[in-house]
């Protein structure tokens, strides 16, 4: 029942599901681990003319797919469209009005498509002016309205990428591992 063909003829907000039992949820956002409840809060907070597009994370297969009953619960939430994990996220980013993520990189990806984002935890890219952090679930309706009005400025994203580049270094884990192994021998 997960959608593989999408018309995109309606206004929508995009929420990519996080992989359950992973750092993004358990450590970065421990108060937001129940994604089903998060979905319900988002739908209740959306303006009436918006739908919520939810996409399963393709990496969920590594842990195990969610139970059929969990997918049915998501499908039973009014105004939610559940998208197949193989559907290209790029097409969703191009057409959505806003991205909401608990603690994933999709909020940063949104900026590359000139879309604002809401995150539920402190992330490195949260310094971007187009990214808003939710501090209290009761603030969600107003934060969604504010975020839908935000414009992404490409210069801000360029500055962020330059900061990352200046403060990063090349690292080859395979080369490092071979040096460690030779040390022990």
């Amino acid at each position: 029942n997960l959608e593989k063909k999408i018309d995109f003829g309606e206004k929508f907000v995009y929420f990519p599901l996080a992989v359950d039992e992973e750092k993004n949820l358990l450590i970065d956002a421990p108060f937001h681990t129940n994604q089903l409840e998060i979905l319900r809060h988002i739908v209740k907070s959306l303006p009436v003319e918006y739908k919520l597009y939810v996409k399963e994370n393709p990496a969920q297969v590594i842990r195990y797919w969610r139970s059929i009953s969990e997918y049915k619960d998501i499908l039973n939430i009014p105004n939610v469209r559940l998208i197949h994990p193989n559907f290209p996220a790029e097409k969703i980013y191009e057409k959505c009005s806003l991205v909401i993520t608990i603690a994933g990189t999709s909020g940063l990806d949104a900026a590359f498509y000139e879309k604002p984002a809401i995150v539920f935890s402190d992330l490195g890219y949260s310094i971007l002016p187009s990214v808003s952090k939710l501090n209290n679930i009761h603030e969600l309706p107003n934060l969604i309205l504010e975020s839908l009005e935000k414009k992404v400025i490409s210069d801000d994203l360029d500055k962020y990428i330059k900061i990352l580049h200046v403060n990063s270094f090349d690292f080859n884990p395979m080369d490092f591992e071979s040096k460690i192994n030779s040390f022990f021998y």
Side-chain angles (χ1 to χ4, degrees):
N1 291 327
L2 278 66
E3 297 189 35
K4 295 180 183 176
K5 294 182 181 181
I6 300 171
D7 179 12
F8 293 120
E10 57 195 358
K11 292 181 180 182
F12 70 95
V13 170
Y14 175 45
F15 182 87
L17 288 169
V19 175
D20 270 339
E21 299 177 12
E22 192 174 67
K23 173 195 166 291
N24 284 359
L25 285 179
L26 298 176
I27 295 172
D28 292 346
F31 299 108
H32 305 289
T33 57
N34 187 335
Q35 294 185 85
L36 191 57
E37 283 306 308
I38 296 294
L39 292 174
R40 288 185 178 119
H41 284 297
I42 293 170
V43 168
K44 290 176 191 174
S45 302
L46 288 177
V48 131
E49 67 273 18
Y50 281 85
K51 303 282 187 220
L52 182 64
Y53 285 23
V54 178
K55 182 175 179 266
E56 177 60 276
N57 192 316
Q60 184 64 40
V61 71
I62 295 168
R63 300 283 188 219
Y64 49 83
W65 292 114
R66 297 169 210 280
S67 68
I68 291 173
S69 64
E70 192 169 351
Y71 289 121
K72 285 181 179 179
D73 286 344
I74 293 171
L75 287 167
N76 285 328
I77 300 172
N79 294 325
V80 169
R81 295 183 73 184
L82 187 55
I83 300 170
H84 195 277
N86 290 338
F87 191 87
E90 298 81 22
K91 290 182 181 182
I92 300 171
Y93 288 125
E94 288 172 1
K95 301 293 183 180
C96 74
S97 300
L98 171 68
V99 173
I100 301 177
T101 181
I102 295 174
T105 58
S106 56
L108 177 59
D109 293 342
F112 285 98
Y113 289 88
E114 299 181 344
K115 307 296 177 167
I118 295 174
V119 297
F120 286 53
S121 64
D122 291 316
L123 303 166
Y125 66 83
S126 297
I127 64 172
L128 290 171
S130 62
V131 177
S132 301
K133 181 182 178 273
L134 180 71
N135 295 311
N136 184 319
I137 199 72
H138 300 292
E139 299 170 359
L140 189 57
N142 288 334
L143 194 57
I144 287 173
L145 290 174
E146 290 170 16
S147 296
L148 286 169
E149 296 297 319
K150 283 188 178 183
K151 301 295 179 210
V152 178
I153 300 168
S154 59
D155 285 348
D156 294 333
L157 184 57
D158 289 342
K159 288 176 192 175
Y160 177 71
I161 298 300
K162 285 177 186 171
I163 290 169
L164 284 180
H165 182 71
V166 168
N167 292 290
S168 300
F169 57 90
D170 290 329
F171 179 72
N172 182 337
M174 300 306 285
D175 185 45
F176 178 75
E177 188 173 318
S178 68
K179 288 178 182 176
I180 291 292
N181 287 337
S182 64
F183 171 77
F184 287 110
Y185 291 123

